[in-house]
Amino acid sequence: MPSALDQLVAAQPSTAIILGSGLGAVAETFSPILTVPYSDVPGLPESKVPGHAGRFVLGVLPGSGRKVVIAQGRSHLYEGISAREVTAGVRFLAEQLGVKRLILTNAAGAIDPTFHVGGLMLITDHLNLLGVSPLTGGPHFHDMSVVYSLKLREAFMNAAEKLGLRLHHGVYAAVPGPQYETPAEIRMFRTLGAHAVGMSTVPEAIQARALGLEVAGISLLTNWAAGLAPATLHHSEVVEVGLAAGQDLARLLHAALA
Ligand code: HPA
């Protein structure tokens, strides 16, 4: 009997989805066939953040039967690991599983005041404010003019329209964390052209593009960024809003990938 990892490698799914904080339940909507804990994959760091399960789920896209691999949970720079380690999963997906298309999801704070909390934002571009890159050491000088595939963005926009789902668009600013931002930092990010802020996604997007993958990104706006609302920020709220809006994200993914 081949191991679950062997079966995952043999499946060679063309599409992968990485799920952010509190979004793990989205995997259940893809009729799971098998699961592989990250600890079974040599070279992958284990995810230690609450709301992140830390495993791959092989599933199928409802209605089409197309295989999809879902990463339930990811690593972050704030765990004290390098950008290279954070993106080990992306290299595994591309090099071992043969994935061609990567959908990155995350929880983010909304900076654009026209957005709504609990809503979704299609990432059109990013600001790498992390100070590091997974490509340090090579390959050097990779083009980043179009990180988030126009074709995939169109598919998500069409899907949202079909579902009657409001889909915001904007620039995702990645910060290292682990603390949330100050109101002054958020005002600066807004001036710099950011519409949402979070602590992930950008290293994976950079690594994926360097490997030639087609990339899309969706932020679930779990809260107003610091200073935009009177409330203070708590990770438990981020996970709660993620759980509540996960159904919208699942519907959008099903429709866009169909
Ligand atoms: N800031 C940074 N990361 C986040 C936020 C935020 O407001 N919400 C969810 N992830």
Side-chain angles (χ1 to χ4, degrees), residues 38-39 41 43-48 75 79 81 85-89:
Y38 294 162
S39 54
V41 182
L44 284 202
E46 253 178 270
S47 171
K48 300 178 204 80
S75 303
E79 291 164 55
I81 60 178
E85 288 171 291
V86 162
T87 52

Side-chain angles (χ1 to χ4, degrees), residues 14-254:
S14 60
T15 302
I17 302 169
I18 299 183
L19 296 174
S21 294
L23 297 173
V26 170
E28 309 309 324
T29 69
F30 284 86
S31 321
I33 298 166
L34 59 86
T35 62
V36 177
Y38 294 162
S39 54
D40 286 2
V41 182
L44 284 202
E46 253 178 270
S47 171
K48 300 178 204 80
V49 187
H52 291 266
R55 59 181 191 178
F56 292 109
V57 176
L58 180 66
V60 291
L61 187 63
S64 85
R66 191 194 298 158
K67 279 174 272 180
V68 178
V69 58
I70 297 154
Q72 244 178 345
R74 57 152 61 89
S75 303
H76 301 79
L77 289 171
Y78 59 68
E79 291 164 55
I81 60 178
S82 69
R84 182 104 190 127
E85 288 171 291
V86 162
T87 52
V90 173
R91 291 188 295 280
F92 169 74
L93 291 169
E95 292 166 355
Q96 309 292 318
L97 302 191
V99 160
K100 303 282 179 249
R101 193 201 269 170
L102 178 63
I103 317 298
L104 297 162
T105 71
N106 61 48
I111 295 180
D112 186 324
T114 68
F115 288 177
H116 71 286
V117 166
L120 300 172
M121 182 189 89
L122 184 62
I123 301 177
T124 55
D125 204 349
H126 71 228
L127 289 169
N128 180 9
L129 304 177
L130 300 170
V132 292
S133 164
L135 307 185
T136 298
H140 294 146
F141 314 125
H142 208 283
D143 179 66
M144 292 284 145
S145 317
V146 186
V147 175
Y148 302 91
S149 154
L150 288 166
K151 201 178 103 197
L152 287 177
R153 270 148 64 184
E154 221 169 284
F156 277 103
M157 287 188 294
N158 291 339
E161 200 180 310
K162 214 178 287 170
L163 295 170
L165 200 71
R166 197 165 153 211
L167 183 61
H168 303 295
H169 297 205
V171 173
Y172 174 88
V175 292
Q179 73 286 354
Y180 288 117
E181 301 70 40
T182 64
E185 287 166 343
I186 294 300
R187 286 194 297 275
M188 174 176 73
F189 299 157
R190 195 173 165 188
T191 304
L192 294 176
H195 300 95
V197 60
M199 303 176 193
S200 69
T201 301
V202 164
E204 293 135 314
I206 293 170
Q207 176 64 84
R209 289 302 296 139
L211 292 169
L213 304 192
E214 212 181 350
V215 173
I218 305 275
S219 291
L220 170 56
L221 306 164
T222 51
N223 56 277
W224 288 114
L228 272 87
T232 53
L233 300 177
H234 298 284
H235 181 66
S236 57
E237 279 172 24
V238 167
V239 172
E240 259 170 54
V241 176
L243 289 175
Q247 281 312 104
D248 282 345
L249 179 64
R251 287 165 62 223
L252 184 67
L253 288 168
H254 298 168

